[in-house]
Amino acid sequence: MKKFLLTIVAAALMAPLWAATVPHRLVYGYFMTNKSTADYGLGRFYMDDPQNIEIIAPGDGAEGWFAGAVADGIYYACTYRYDITEGPVPSSFISYDLSTGERRVIGNWSEDSYNTYLKFQDMTYDYSTKTMYAVGFELGKNSLYSFDLATGQPTLVTPLSVTGFGSIACSYDGRLYGFNTNDASLYLINKTSGQCVKLVTLGDEYLFSYFEQSMEFDHTTGLIYLADRSSKLDSRKDFLYLVRIDVSQSPVAFEDVAQVGDDAALQALYIPYVLDGEAAPAAPSDLVVKSADGGVAAATLTWSVPTQTFGGDPLTDLQSIVVERDGEVVATLAASAQTYTDENVPTGQHRYVVYGVNTAGKGETAFRFAYIGRDWPDEPQNISVKVGEGCQSAIISWDEPVRGYHNGYFTTEGLTYSIRRYPDLMLVAEGLTERTFTDQSLRRLGAYSYEVIASNAFGQAGQYTPKTYVLGAPISLTEGDFVESFDNHTRFLNQWTEVDANGDYYSWVYNTMAPQYVLGNNDPGAVYFLNPGIYNAGIDADEWLLSPPLRLEAGKHYKVVLHLRSLLTEKLSVTFGKTNEVEEQQVLNDLTIAASIFQNGVALYSDYEIGLPQQDVETIGCVGLHLTTPYAGTDNYSMFHINTITVKEGQANAISDVRLGASDVRHTVFDLQGRRVAAPRAKGLYVVDGKKYIAK
């Protein structure tokens, strides 16, 4: 009889600790995809209602989050921008305040923003050491990193002994776990040595190949939740499951608890928690912290008392309300209290926390940041740059800050501005009181950007120009032809200006492998292409390439020679203007680029020549190429490839050369679009043996 009872007890210990029902627990995460909502982005849902998803911060169409986690109510995330040839490219390390919805850019999460190999798969916050950890994947290897939350810079902690981790989670007492997508197993990770010990294998149905998953602890219960989008089995393919894991059991227990959304992928998982359990009070609502007027060092807090427990039951035994400032208790108030004035507060940024206490313990916290006292200016807004004539100067203008950097008390008294230029880090102006400045100190040609810094006696904040601008000394054609062969990308970026005029995040790519598969080889060049695997919403091309400033001598003839090829007919305008800005360009010639002839599977090049206006005086100007080809229609398939752009002395002859490999094209007739014709059938200009003829 005793043996039978012991068997029952042992079986009970092996069973999952949770009840059959799913708790009414809020879950946050960044939805990379989800068909059941109009937008993607940062969203939330309840575990017991996983189809009712609310997107609280929609994405903008080009940005996504690689990884993210919450520390003390603030999301931190590594964002990326999507490039049509390189895929996700590192962008900003950001913070997002869940209490206010305020987002701030902290810094770059990659010291080399062109290192597209390093991907952070997931992040988690270790409350025991106040450390934000991330798992990184680079060139087939996993490593553990830590993040500086003030600068956004990652630091390598240790390589991991096992590769394939798509998600990590840290318990409140500092134990780090990782889910490996290669073998669908949960591991315990040593944060110092990187050694990984397998705890349990979930099975093939949990295998996932895209790293679009996340894992986090519910610190209220000590259970792990894994957002897993399986791709291994058809029965689970493209479904997002919330998987619950109990590492306190032996063997580790796990089960699916919810299917989330429709064709959803979820990253940056976060589950609000209360350490004293579900019976503790829920958070006070409607918390507001108002700094005293006139910069006085005091703050008034207001809130609504909680009426439910953290678990969602009616709250019947609220005992007190506690107010903390920067982690220290400043007031313990009656349960009915709904306001508190904090006086003699040190000037600066403070974090206020308000929570209820009952017999179960400390409840869920509500928090707000507030700056007390006189604040320094917010970042200057609406910075704009006008390129000066000949690209020899830059006129920078901006709007005055209208608030304090921390939303504290702020006036414009004593407000001044400084301007720093990048990449040479030159402080080109300081102590300005006007909101415009002309930088005329540019000596060498290059791509420059600016930071405008607003300052007062209490501090300063800067804002960068939205892009770089090619400025500086012009290239003289007296020293020879100017040729852009696209063989040096650094030089290209420091000389040419690209404009995606239709704003569809879809423009030129450079030295891509794409021509190999469509045009027969992958010669260097600027390429604009469409194919069924790249989506640009069917928008007509509106893409610019603008040359660096070129010095043209008075009285001389100059021409632009384009060495190019195309799969289909394209529309290209050649322009000229006094700067490399679109609005300064004037059309010289509207070209219809004919589809290229193929020989032995390779598309052949044609040369198009366009004359520049003869100048009466020495002139500095920029050549522009404006592609305006209508969308390719239902086929969604085209490719236009510019191999070289040359500006040289001489008069233009429309098409000077049609390259047909080794074929003998003597006495062959071509029209001005480079198409071979049997004989002129209409009035117009034709080319034979490099000379123009008129058919009447």
Side-chain angles (χ1 to χ4, degrees):
M1 185 65 175
K2 288 183 179 180
K3 183 177 180 180
F4 176 71
L5 287 174
L6 287 173
T7 302
I8 293 176
V9 171
L13 290 174
M14 297 286 286
L17 293 178
W18 52 80
T21 58
V22 179
H24 185 65
R25 182 80 83 253
L26 189 61
V27 179
Y28 289 88
Y30 194 89
F31 283 89
M32 302 297 296
T33 61
N34 182 41
K35 294 179 180 178
S36 66
T37 54
D39 298 306
Y40 78 98
L42 183 63
R44 61 189 178 191
F45 62 93
Y46 284 91
M47 287 185 189
D48 57 351
D49 190 13
Q51 297 301 317
N52 186 14
I53 298 167
E54 178 189 7
I55 301 297
I56 60 175
D60 66 0
E63 183 187 84
W65 290 11
F66 259 143
V70 170
D72 294 320
I74 305 294
Y75 252 114
Y76 297 90
C78 297
T79 67
Y80 65 83
R81 310 295 295 182
Y82 191 79
D83 183 272
I84 60 175
T85 56
E86 296 184 62
V89 175
S91 184
S92 300
F93 187 79
I94 61 125
S95 67
Y96 181 88
D97 188 330
L98 284 171
S99 67
T100 63
E102 182 179 21
R103 168 182 164 140
R104 284 195 180 272
V105 174
I106 297 174
N108 294 323
W109 59 265
S110 174
E111 291 182 348
D112 177 6
S113 61
Y114 293 100
N115 179 9
T116 58
Y117 299 109
L118 176 61
K119 306 289 193 298
F120 290 108
Q121 313 305 144
D122 199 19
M123 293 165 60
T124 190
Y125 189 64
D126 181 357
Y127 282 92
S128 71
T129 62
K130 305 296 184 182
T131 303
M132 182 67 78
Y133 286 106
V135 59
F137 184 82
E138 183 175 9
L139 300 176
K141 297 295 183 181
N142 264 149
S143 297
L144 185 66
Y145 291 80
S146 64
F147 266 94
D148 185 331
L149 300 185
T151 65
Q153 287 301 306
T155 299
L156 176 65
V157 176
T158 178
L160 299 181
S161 64
V162 176
T163 293
F165 289 105
S167 54
I168 55 174
C170 193
S171 64
Y172 200 81
D173 60 3
R175 288 170 290 123
L176 185 64
Y177 298 84
F179 184 72
N180 193 290
T181 61
N182 289 338
D183 60 4
S185 297
L186 185 74
Y187 287 77
L188 180 65
I189 300 174
N190 187 303
K191 295 181 294 186
T192 302
S193 67
Q195 291 298 308
C196 306
V197 178
K198 185 184 293 187
L199 300 179
V200 65
T201 298
L202 275 63
D204 283 352
E205 63 268 32
Y206 295 95
L207 283 174
F208 183 71
S209 59
Y210 302 114
F211 288 124
E212 288 178 351
Q213 60 174 221
S214 185
M215 186 167 70
E216 194 55 279
F217 267 90
D218 174 6
H219 296 304
T220 304
T221 61
L223 300 173
I224 295 175
Y225 286 86
L226 169 68
D228 180 79
R229 178 179 154 105
S230 179
S231 64
K232 181 70 174 178
L233 300 180
D234 288 342
S235 60
R236 293 172 63 94
K237 188 177 177 69
D238 298 330
F239 289 106
L240 176 66
Y241 286 90
L242 201 60
V243 185
R244 185 163 47 188
I245 305 172
D246 186 354
V247 293
S248 70
Q249 296 199 52
S250 181
V252 172
F254 61 91
E255 69 173 358
D256 294 342
V257 296
Q259 180 184 321
V260 181
D262 179 10
D263 192 18
L266 184 62
Q267 294 179 255
L269 199 66
Y270 169 61
I271 304 169
Y273 64 92
V274 170
L275 293 178
D276 286 337
E278 294 186 350
S285 58
D286 306 319
L287 174 62
V288 175
V289 181
K290 187 179 185 302
S291 178
D293 293 336
V296 176
T300 299
L301 290 74
T302 59
W303 61 86
S304 297
V305 296
T307 60
Q308 291 185 319
T309 67
F310 180 67
D313 295 327
L315 179 61
T316 58
D317 64 339
L318 184 63
Q319 297 176 336
S320 62
I321 296 290
V322 176
V323 179
E324 293 183 0
R325 183 206 324 130
D326 302 329
E328 299 292 332
V329 174
V330 294
T332 299
L333 309 171
S336 59
Q338 297 187 69
T339 186
Y340 173 74
T341 299
D342 190 21
E343 298 180 336
N344 299 318
V345 182
T347 296
Q349 177 87 332
H350 299 282
R351 186 176 191 264
Y352 284 94
V353 170
V354 180
Y355 56 89
V357 177
N358 69 355
T359 54
K362 175 181 174 180
E364 184 182 13
T365 60
F367 75 96
R368 290 290 187 276
F369 287 95
Y371 191 90
I372 310 303
R374 293 179 66 90
D375 202 356
W376 61 76
D378 194 15
E379 303 158 348
Q381 300 298 307
N382 301 319
I383 299 175
S384 64
V385 174
K386 173 66 178 174
V387 177
E389 187 169 344
C391 305
Q392 305 303 288
S393 62
I395 303 95
I396 307 115
S397 58
W398 59 92
D399 289 344
E400 185 177 75
V402 296
R403 65 171 194 171
Y405 183 79
H406 307 93
N407 288 314
Y409 181 78
F410 167 74
T411 69
T412 59
E413 180 183 355
L415 184 64
T416 62
Y417 304 96
S418 303
I419 300 178
R420 189 176 300 279
R421 188 176 65 209
Y422 295 88
D424 58 0
L425 300 178
M426 180 178 287
L427 190 66
V428 296
E430 55 184 333
L432 300 174
T433 56
E434 299 295 325
R435 297 193 305 276
T436 185
F437 175 76
T438 300
D439 179 18
Q440 297 177 307
S441 64
L442 297 148
R443 294 180 176 86
R444 62 183 298 272
L445 184 65
Y448 296 95
S449 62
Y450 295 88
E451 180 187 16
V452 181
I453 304 163
S455 306
N456 66 8
F458 307 99
Q460 63 182 33
Q463 181 68 278
Y464 298 92
T465 52
K467 62 179 183 178
T468 60
Y469 302 84
V470 174
L471 306 163
I475 296 173
S476 176
L477 297 180
T478 60
E479 301 172 2
D481 300 345
F482 169 70
V483 181
E484 179 53 64
S485 56
F486 302 97
D487 57 348
N488 185 322
H489 197 61
T490 299
R491 182 194 66 213
F492 173 81
L493 292 174
N494 278 281
Q495 292 188 351
W496 288 79
T497 300
E498 176 188 323
V499 178
D500 176 22
N502 56 15
D504 63 353
Y505 302 102
Y506 189 92
S507 192
W508 304 98
V509 294
Y510 306 96
N511 302 330
T512 172
M513 290 292 294
Q516 176 73 45
Y517 308 107
V518 179
L519 301 177
N521 59 32
N522 63 327
D523 292 344
V527 178
Y528 182 86
F529 69 95
L530 301 173
N531 70 44
I534 298 177
Y535 178 70
N536 79 327
I539 299 174
D540 297 343
D542 190 359
E543 324 302 329
W544 286 82
L545 280 176
L546 297 154
S547 80
L550 305 172
R551 188 186 300 277
L552 308 181
E553 292 188 49
K556 288 189 176 181
H557 292 282
Y558 295 94
K559 61 183 177 180
V560 181
V561 182
L562 306 176
H563 187 55
L564 53 80
R565 56 185 176 171
S566 179
L567 184 66
L568 302 175
T569 301
E570 303 281 350
K571 298 291 186 181
L572 182 73
S573 297
V574 180
T575 65
F576 186 73
K578 59 184 179 181
T579 75
N580 51 15
E581 294 179 302
V582 167
E583 55 268 26
E584 298 294 340
Q585 294 291 307
Q586 301 293 321
V587 175
L588 301 179
N589 204 326
D590 292 318
L591 301 176
T592 299
I593 308 298
S596 296
I597 299 170
F598 279 77
Q599 187 177 74
N600 299 323
V602 178
L604 304 178
Y605 289 94
S606 294
D607 284 355
Y608 287 75
E609 295 188 1
I610 301 91
L612 296 180
Q614 188 176 11
Q615 306 296 320
D616 295 330
V617 296
E618 184 180 82
T619 300
I620 298 173
C622 301
V623 172
L625 304 180
H626 186 201
L627 184 68
T628 57
T629 307
Y631 181 67
T634 56
D635 290 339
N636 189 17
Y637 199 79
S638 68
M639 180 168 290
F640 179 54
H641 179 199
I642 304 174
N643 176 241
T644 58
I645 305 169
T646 303
V647 183
K648 60 193 301 185
E649 190 175 346
Q651 291 186 302
N653 291 308
I655 297 177
S656 64
D657 182 21
V658 180
R659 302 182 182 273
L660 292 175
S663 300
D664 187 349
V665 296
R666 288 175 295 177
H667 315 307
T668 304
V669 180
F670 297 92
D671 65 16
L672 291 187
Q673 280 71 48
R675 293 171 296 204
R676 188 199 305 257
V677 295
R681 297 182 180 179
K683 296 179 181 180
L685 291 173
Y686 295 87
V687 178
V688 180
D689 296 336
K691 298 180 180 180
K692 291 187 290 186
Y693 290 89
I694 300 175
K696 298 181 179 180

